[in-house]
Amino acid sequence: MTAHEFDLLDRTWSDITPPAARRMLVAAAAAFAGRGYHATTTRDIAAQAGMSPAAVYIHYRSKEDLLFQISRIGHTASLDVLTSAATSAATPATTPAAGSAASLTSPEPDPAARMAAAVSAFASWHAEHHTTARVVQYELNALTPEHFAEVVVLRRRIEDTVRRMIEDGVAAGVFHVLDARGATLAVLSLCIDVARWYQPGGRRSPADIGALYADLVLRMLGT
Amino acid sequence: MTAHEFDLLDRTWSDITPPAARRMLVAAAAAFAGRGYHATTTRDIAAQAGMSPAAVYIHYRSKEDLLFQISRIGHTASLDVLTSAATSAATPATTPAAGSAASLTSPEPDPAARMAAAVSAFASWHAEHHTTARVVQYELNALTPEHFAEVVVLRRRIEDTVRRMIEDGVAAGVFHVLDARGATLAVLSLCIDVARWYQPGGRRSPADIGALYADLVLRMLGT
């Protein structure tokens, strides 16, 4: 992992305090992405974080608890990116003057603009945070059944958000889709798989990928 | 891994002889998919195959050699599926009578039918062979540089096959695509990611997924 990649990974976890707990999450995500969850020991993680093995247990119950925190926070972050992009696309950029008629009626959300914004943000997130996203997506089976169940709730929310956007677009006559559930699966799959193939410094930036995928998804939905 | 899944995995490698070499590849693919390459030892693989650790080295130079064979054969198989589906869709089902004018001119290939057949076959393959495909896609970094270079040649061939199909469709006025390279990336990514989320016995069979994706890809290509 290059210094730049490590910086990016550190930014993913910038909200985590204290710094020691954050350093451990960053070290764990890098190790799980690099050699896999099962090949990584808490000793490896502590060494990478520049701490003693015992220090890990001050902040996390176990190696699996580290994976769960990465998975929980990673899923929550990608859900937030998806919903806030969709919400801001549905709201006009300027607030109408107070007291005007327009301020009383909510603007008609444009399903295509909303979907484009959501896909662009979700795909870019999976490029920008590819190391975290790989751990989140490929190590689900290593979670305990209880932790897995918690993560599934977040995954369903991500799925429901996209499916509802598709169904709204179909209801508004903007999208033409026979199988909304199948289209939801494909849209999410396309964006998530960015984490597998994306390489920093490659031909396309995260923003380029977002723009390309927004266009392809709108075509897929028959706009 | 269920007995059914193990059977499926065994079928992926049915061409490999002698049977002992096949048993080891099946055991290695199952172990790499389950716990990751780095967490698997040749001892684990031998035990799973019901053989002595020394027996592994009769057929394979190393654990990495097992991974390379899985990767090489897996990439070759998915490339074959892609090209043979595209080729058979472009050829009429019945041969014209010998000596007739039609036998002298090759039939005009239909770019949309070819693409639909190729995507359907390639996506189904990634569902049917999801265990192998996961190893093939997620453990690339564990290959030696020499083996990685060999596998990259196969990956480029897969990419070129799809890109040429898209470019042919654009030239024929059937597809409407601004960025053929970007569309190629998305088509392959969509199909490959099936290996991540597919679960045997789920809502959609491999054939269902193939049909859904063929339709979505044709829309994406602006037919």
Side-chain angles (χ1 to χ4, degrees):
Chain A
M1 178 165 287
T2 64
H4 175 66
E5 284 183 278
F6 205 84
D7 276 358
L8 268 177
L9 192 52
D10 195 54
R11 240 186 287 156
T12 308
W13 307 105
S14 56
D15 289 347
I16 308 297
T17 53
R22 176 167 73 248
R23 279 223 300 284
M24 276 171 203
L25 273 192
V26 173
F32 296 160
R35 295 180 46 88
Y37 173 80
H38 295 288
T40 302
T41 62
T42 47
R43 188 171 285 272
D44 296 336
I45 296 166
Q48 170 112 44
M51 302 171 105
S52 75
V56 173
Y57 296 100
I58 299 171
H59 303 283
Y60 301 96
R61 261 172 303 225
S62 61
K63 183 175 78 161
E64 193 275 339
D65 189 30
L66 274 157
L67 178 64
F68 173 56
Q69 297 307 329
I70 291 168
S71 191
R72 191 181 56 77
I73 300 168
H75 276 98
T76 305
S78 72
L79 173 60
D80 284 353
V81 157
L82 187 66
T83 50
S84 65
T87 312
S88 60
T91 317
T94 53
T95 319
S100 78
S103 70
L104 299 174
T105 56
S106 70
E108 200 61 44
D110 170 3
R114 248 173 82 193
M115 181 57 83
V119 164
S120 173
F122 197 65
S124 304
W125 190 90
H126 282 84
E128 197 79 51
H129 303 273
H130 60 279
T131 306
T132 300
R134 284 178 201 169
V135 175
V136 161
Q137 297 297 337
Y138 304 155
E139 300 288 7
L140 282 174
N141 290 334
L143 293 169
T144 63
E146 295 71 28
H147 286 161
F148 182 73
E150 279 192 54
V151 165
V152 163
V153 172
L154 294 169
R155 292 175 78 83
R156 290 237 175 89
R157 247 183 255 164
I158 291 172
E159 224 177 283
D160 290 347
T161 303
V162 173
R163 205 184 60 243
R164 235 175 291 127
M165 278 197 280
I166 293 178
E167 286 168 352
D168 287 352
V170 170
V174 176
F175 298 155
H176 300 87
V177 171
L178 292 175
D179 176 354
R181 210 177 267 274
T184 302
L185 184 66
V187 169
L188 288 173
S189 175
L190 198 59
C191 295
I192 289 171
D193 194 51
V194 170
R196 177 184 57 82
W197 60 259
Y198 176 76
Q199 287 191 326
R203 182 190 298 266
R204 294 170 201 273
S205 71
D208 292 342
I209 296 164
L212 172 70
Y213 276 28
D215 172 57
L216 293 173
V217 164
L218 290 187
R219 285 157 167 260
M220 223 160 75
L221 299 177
T223 49
Chain B
M1 177 163 289
T2 65
H4 174 67
E5 285 183 278
F6 206 84
D7 277 359
L8 266 178
L9 193 52
D10 195 54
R11 240 186 286 154
T12 308
W13 306 106
S14 56
D15 289 348
I16 308 297
T17 54
R22 177 167 72 248
R23 279 223 299 285
M24 278 170 202
L25 273 191
V26 173
F32 295 161
R35 295 181 44 87
Y37 173 81
H38 294 289
T40 302
T41 63
T42 48
R43 189 170 283 272
D44 296 335
I45 296 166
Q48 169 111 44
M51 302 171 105
S52 75
V56 173
Y57 297 101
I58 299 172
H59 302 285
Y60 301 96
R61 260 171 302 224
S62 61
K63 183 175 79 161
E64 193 274 340
D65 189 30
L66 274 157
L67 178 64
F68 173 56
Q69 297 308 327
I70 292 168
S71 190
R72 191 180 57 76
I73 300 167
H75 276 98
T76 305
S78 71
L79 173 61
D80 284 354
V81 156
L82 187 68
T83 50
S84 64
T87 312
S88 61
T91 317
T94 54
T95 319
S100 78
S103 69
L104 299 173
T105 56
S106 69
E108 199 62 43
D110 170 3
R114 249 173 81 192
M115 180 57 82
V119 165
S120 173
F122 197 64
S124 305
W125 189 90
H126 282 84
E128 197 79 53
H129 302 274
H130 59 280
T131 307
T132 300
R134 284 178 200 168
V135 176
V136 161
Q137 297 297 336
Y138 304 155
E139 301 286 9
L140 282 174
N141 289 336
L143 293 170
T144 63
E146 294 72 27
H147 285 161
F148 181 74
E150 278 193 54
V151 165
V152 163
V153 172
L154 295 168
R155 293 175 79 83
R156 291 239 173 88
R157 248 183 253 164
I158 292 172
E159 224 178 282
D160 290 348
T161 303
V162 173
R163 205 185 59 243
R164 233 174 292 126
M165 279 196 280
I166 293 177
E167 287 168 351
D168 287 354
V170 170
V174 176
F175 298 154
H176 301 88
V177 171
L178 291 176
D179 176 354
R181 209 176 268 272
T184 303
L185 184 66
V187 169
L188 288 173
S189 175
L190 197 60
C191 295
I192 288 171
D193 194 51
V194 170
R196 176 183 57 82
W197 60 259
Y198 176 77
Q199 287 192 323
R203 182 191 296 265
R204 296 170 199 273
S205 71
D208 293 340
I209 295 164
L212 172 69
Y213 277 27
D215 173 55
L216 292 174
V217 164
L218 291 188
R219 286 157 166 259
M220 220 160 76
L221 299 176
T223 49

